[in-house]
Amino acid sequence: DAKTTQPTSMDCAEGRAANLPCNHSTISGNEYVYWYRQIHSQGPQYIIHGLKNNETNEMASLIITEDRKSSTLILPHATLRDTAVYYCIVYAGGTSYGKLTFGQGTILTVHP
Amino acid sequence: EPEVTQTPSHQVTQMGQEVILRCVPISNHLYFYWYRQILGQKVEFLVSFYNNEISEKSEIFDDQFSVERPDGSNFTLKIRSTKLEDSAMYFCASTPEVREQYFGPGTRLTVT
């Protein structure tokens, strides 16, 4: 699975958009970009995933560059409850029985 | 909304004792996983389980570890002879197919 690079930490004001970048320059054509988050010591929570196209759901938007070498997770109106560690994970899904390889992620702190 | 549950939430055991961590995955899911997170460290994959057998395991998952789906609903992780370094949060996850995984709240294992 391709390696990802994320900033160690980011801050965001409550109510503003949080834009979390991820670099995955070695991504292969069949690999998806997945985002999870972990609030304090809870279990990781799935947010969104995509292959080529931008995606949006009730939690977030995912913007993937045309060359697929990087992506941005957007939380449109961050709240204090969005303070968490955000993980960008690239993997090919069906070829690996779903093993997720977590990095250190980005610690997002949302300030009042 | 269905969710993955884990019991107990906290388990304290003495070194050398056997522990069984229990998980109830979401009912129509077919792929099951265990991960662990040592305090302050990354979430690490332990094992994946599909069609009543292990499909993939990490180097951490040595002979001291075993998994079982004894009754079609529970999914257990057994550590035969616990060591101090087994102290960690253990997360169970499940998915209906190899795509986004749904994690439980975790069991905190403390080995003394």
Side-chain angles (χ1 to χ4, degrees), chain A residues 36 38 91 93 96-98, chain B residues 33 35 37 56 98-99 101 103:
Chain A
Y36 287 79
Q38 188 176 25
Y91 86 112
S96 66
Y97 291 101
Chain B
Y33 309 86
Y35 294 82
Q37 186 175 32
E56 190 173 1
V98 182
R99 55 179 208 207
Q101 294 177 24
F103 285 76

Side-chain angles (χ1 to χ4, degrees), chain B:
Chain B
E1 186 175 322
E3 56 186 23
V4 176
T5 60
Q6 291 185 242
T7 54
S9 57
H10 190 191
Q11 173 90 49
V12 181
T13 189
Q14 289 189 327
M15 200 166 47
Q17 295 296 304
E18 174 183 287
V19 293
I20 298 176
L21 309 183
R22 291 183 167 80
C23 168
V24 179
I26 295 172
S27 63
N28 63 339
H29 286 190
L30 300 176
Y31 296 81
F32 313 106
Y33 309 86
W34 284 100
Y35 294 82
R36 80 172 187 188
Q37 186 175 32
I38 295 170
L39 186 64
Q41 297 188 22
K42 297 185 291 187
V43 177
E44 300 174 289
F45 168 81
L46 291 178
V47 65
S48 59
F49 192 84
Y50 170 71
N51 202 25
N52 274 323
E53 61 183 24
I54 291 173
S55 45
E56 190 173 1
K57 59 184 181 179
S58 71
E59 292 177 355
I60 303 167
F61 195 89
D62 61 22
D63 292 344
Q64 292 300 314
F65 291 87
S66 62
V67 289
E68 195 176 36
R69 190 155 159 79
D71 56 14
S73 61
N74 290 285
F75 180 49
T76 61
L77 174 69
K78 181 192 288 186
I79 309 175
R80 273 186 253 290
S81 178
T82 50
K83 303 188 277 271
L84 293 176
E85 53 265 39
D86 293 328
S87 294
M89 284 290 290
Y90 288 80
F91 297 109
C92 171
S94 70
T95 184
E97 53 187 80
V98 182
R99 55 179 208 207
E100 66 270 19
Q101 294 177 24
Y102 296 88
F103 285 76
T107 292
R108 180 180 301 281
L109 177 65
T110 303
V111 182
T112 61

Side-chain angles (χ1 to χ4, degrees), chain A residues 32-104:
Chain A
Y32 288 76
V33 180
Y34 278 74
W35 284 84
Y36 287 79
R37 72 180 182 184
Q38 188 176 25
I39 296 172
H40 195 44
S41 293
Q42 298 176 23
Q45 177 189 23
Y46 165 78
I47 301 173
I48 198 167
H49 74 280
L51 182 63
K52 295 180 184 177
N53 301 320
N54 298 337
E55 301 288 345
T56 295
N57 63 19
E58 66 278 3
M59 288 183 69
S61 295
L62 174 60
I63 308 297
I64 303 174
T65 57
E66 196 169 336
D67 63 8
R68 302 210 322 123
K69 293 184 177 182
S70 66
S71 60
T72 301
L73 177 75
I74 301 172
L75 307 178
H77 306 287
T79 71
L80 298 178
R81 288 177 294 179
D82 292 322
T83 293
V85 182
Y86 286 78
Y87 301 100
C88 169
I89 300 172
V90 168
Y91 86 112
T95 63
S96 66
Y97 291 101
K99 166 189 169 184
L100 293 177
T101 302
F102 287 82
Q104 297 289 358

